């Protein structure tokens, strides 16, 4: 590659389709279908698969019965299956269902934090400090999201310092991995570069992940930029699930197929098998009655 | 940006929507509509707009009456309006219509050359040597495409040496600018890096352009990679025109809106106004009765 530039030899892909993807789809799948989807993704070789969320089914019907999903999936050794928990009650339900990994969800923008989880950033960090302490006490592994890390739909540009500060605090309360989210898909390489420089001053790369959306077609370029900075953990979603279903082809999460295509063509190992991933994506797209939002998957399926 | 890496301060975007884009759409627009589209693109600030092709209207009805387009457009000083010419007859028609710039079209893969233009690579270069000599004699500026520069639909991977060799020969016969085409959209950053290293040994960056397709969502990452190597001329198509219209959202050419979004957010000048570009794209999408294949444009239009 480019002279004097080092790229990672191996990248860990965190497959977020069964949670972040499905949660943003209009059709709610049964826990049985979600279980099968996760098992197909495990078979494809992902080493981390976001499995669901313990949130109110009245508010988020797509994530109902996550406990049943957790009990039914065929756990592969060495694979993490984090579930989103908003509070101590969610943690309790997760533990009762056999969860070994959880995820918590903070924001870098004050307005987004208040509108999305009804807490100030400070309140949310205090809440998560307790949840994470309990989780770590129970031997669980903890992932923490920082949403609106580039732009907030209410406030616009979010300062790099605000993002680093929230990420740093999540690290200090014990989160094992911190995923930096480009919630509305406005990140570009220059901003990724600047933010990563700042984040790496407070969090080592083995605890840092990026969660890009492909809303403006920038996700692959952003991943490349982050890799040039030494980042090697990235979130993506099978078939690009999670896009706005009302705009045909509009993108949500970076599609796992697109990410995998770039990495495998660059000789970067992921452990993921594209054919088995395609099988998982075909399965879920059929259940959702929607076309793929992954350009690579569209190219594969149109053959 | 990344330490010790230099990015260009200014990028020249070659807008190929009116030719490469429209030629691959199922609906053939009238020469009047194509003229208006080009005038809207001129107003948006592009410094190069591919205006049409002098090819058989029985084979390519989308490009019929290109002579009328050339005569009717409002030429802006400093803007190039190249038209594709396959041979001496095409050149004659172009000159008669007032063309000041032409483009010729070679391939790096033997099978593609024979199936696409019915000549071996050697025959095509001999043909273009005459066409380019005549064009230069008439004071015209010449662009040359090298298609299938990464993969060929018939042969698979095309060797870097084959691409460099064809590009080098096109340079020697007098082409002012050589556009390297990722015809089936399979390029990835590692391959772009390798090919660019090879190309820059035979052609200086001010004569080298990349023409990426976004079939697998890699176009922005490929542009970024090429810029890191010092390339600063890129082709793109308003609204992402030229994608397969039968797969909703499937991408053809890199969309000008997506390219512009990345560059402007990185502080790289292009001279193009996104609002005026959106106006041009809205106009042509309405005429084609199709949705945008540009993710950035979808994001803008969904607001």
């Amino acid at each position: 590659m480019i002279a004097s530039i080092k790229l990672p030899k191996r990248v860990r892909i965190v497959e977020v389709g069964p949670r972040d993807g499905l949660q943003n789809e209009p059709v709610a799948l049964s826990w049985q279908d979600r279980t099968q989807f996760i098992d197909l993704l495990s078979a494809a070789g992902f080493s981390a698969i976001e499995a669901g969320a313990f949130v109110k089914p009245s508010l988020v019907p797509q994530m109902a019965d996550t406990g049943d999903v957790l009990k039914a999936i065929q756990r592969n050794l060495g694979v993490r299956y984090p579930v989103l928990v908003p509070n101590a009650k969610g943690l309790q339900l997760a533990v009762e269902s056999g969860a070994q990994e959880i995820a918590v969800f903070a924001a870098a923008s004050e307005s987004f934090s208040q509108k999305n989880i009804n807490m100030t950033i400070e309140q949310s960090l205090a809440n998560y400090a307790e949840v994470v302490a309990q989780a770590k006490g129970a031997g669980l592994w903890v992932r923490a999201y920082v949403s609106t890390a580039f732009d907030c739909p209410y406030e616009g540009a979010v300062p790099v310092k605000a993002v680093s500060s929230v990420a740093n605090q999540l690290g200090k309360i014990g989160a094992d991995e911190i995923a930096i989210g480009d919630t509305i898909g406005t990140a570009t390489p220059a901003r990724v570069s600047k933010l990563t420089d700042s984040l790496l001053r407070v969090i080592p790369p083995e605890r840092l992940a990026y969660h890009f959306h492909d809303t403006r077609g920038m996700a692959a370029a952003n991943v490349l930029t982050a890799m040039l900075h030494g980042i090697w953990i990235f979130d993506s979603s099978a078939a690009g699930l999670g896009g706005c279903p009302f705009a045909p082809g509009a993108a949500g999460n970076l599609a796992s197929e697109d990410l995998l295509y770039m990495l495998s063509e660059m000789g970067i190992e992921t452990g993921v098998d594209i054919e088995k991933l395609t099988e998982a994506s075909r399965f879920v797209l059929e259940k959702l009655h929607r076309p793929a939002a992954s350009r690579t998957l569209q190219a594969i399926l149109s053959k």
Side-chain angles (χ1 to χ4, degrees), chain A:
Chain A
M1 179 89 200
I2 302 145
S4 81
I5 290 292
K6 276 191 187 172
L7 284 170
K9 286 191 179 166
R10 191 178 168 85
V11 154
R12 190 200 300 154
I13 303 181
V14 179
E15 168 59 52
V16 300
R19 203 284 301 172
D20 191 35
L22 290 182
Q23 183 169 335
N24 291 291
E25 294 290 334
V27 176
L29 300 191
S30 70
W31 68 264
Q32 291 92 339
D33 283 344
R34 279 149 57 207
T35 300
Q36 193 171 341
F37 182 36
I38 292 170
D39 286 345
L40 287 167
L41 292 166
S42 293
F46 288 100
S47 57
I49 302 165
E50 216 187 15
F54 285 95
V55 289
K56 287 185 186 156
S58 56
L59 292 177
V60 189
Q62 297 95 328
M63 292 293 109
D65 311 315
T66 286
D68 293 322
V69 171
L70 272 188
K71 287 172 196 159
I73 53 173
Q74 299 183 315
R75 284 175 181 273
N76 275 7
L77 274 177
V79 178
R80 289 181 179 136
Y81 300 91
V83 285
L84 203 70
V85 302
N87 49 35
K89 196 190 161 203
L91 173 62
Q92 190 193 331
L93 293 170
V95 170
E96 285 170 9
S97 309
Q100 291 164 20
E101 301 90 5
I102 60 157
V104 297
F105 194 86
S109 134
E110 199 61 59
S111 318
F112 193 81
S113 181
Q114 295 189 20
K115 297 209 184 188
N116 194 42
I117 53 179
N118 204 24
M119 289 185 272
T120 65
I121 294 174
E122 202 184 327
Q123 287 168 341
S124 76
L125 291 171
N127 168 50
Y128 293 139
E130 281 187 38
V131 173
V132 173
Q134 285 179 34
K136 301 296 288 184
L140 272 62
W141 181 91
V142 178
R143 176 170 237 244
Y145 288 98
V146 181
S147 62
T148 57
F150 294 91
D151 287 302
C152 164
Y154 313 111
E155 292 182 20
V158 176
V160 161
K161 275 192 183 177
V163 183
S164 292
S165 167
V166 171
N168 191 19
Q169 290 175 76
L170 288 167
K172 282 187 179 163
I173 65 173
D176 296 288
E177 186 172 293
I178 295 154
I180 307 298
D182 177 22
T183 307
I184 58 171
T186 53
T188 50
R191 295 180 75 185
V192 172
S193 182
K194 201 175 158 198
L195 180 58
T196 311
D197 278 341
S198 174
L199 288 167
L200 285 173
R201 276 184 221 118
V202 291
I203 305 160
E206 64 272 18
R207 290 176 65 194
L208 203 53
Y210 266 113
H211 180 110
F212 290 120
H213 284 214
D214 204 18
T215 320
R216 285 162 185 79
M218 294 298 116
N222 291 335
V223 167
L224 177 63
T225 304
M227 288 197 301
L228 291 171
H229 284 269
I231 305 295
W232 52 273
I233 310 173
F234 297 99
D235 294 8
S236 64
S237 173
L241 292 184
C244 172
F246 306 109
N253 285 297
L254 166 58
S256 300
E257 288 86 353
D258 294 355
L259 177 59
L260 188 57
Y261 179 76
M262 180 171 80
L263 297 176
S264 63
E265 286 285 311
M266 294 176 82
I268 296 170
E269 287 174 35
T270 61
V272 181
D273 180 310
I274 183 73
E275 290 188 17
K276 288 182 179 168
L277 167 57
T278 302
E279 201 181 316
S281 292
R282 270 180 196 272
F283 169 81
V284 77
L285 291 174
E286 203 170 292
K287 297 288 177 187
L288 291 169
H289 310 291
R290 64 160 281 178
S294 158
R295 295 195 156 176
T296 299
L297 183 58
Q298 285 172 351
I300 291 171
L301 296 179
S302 70
K303 271 181 192 166

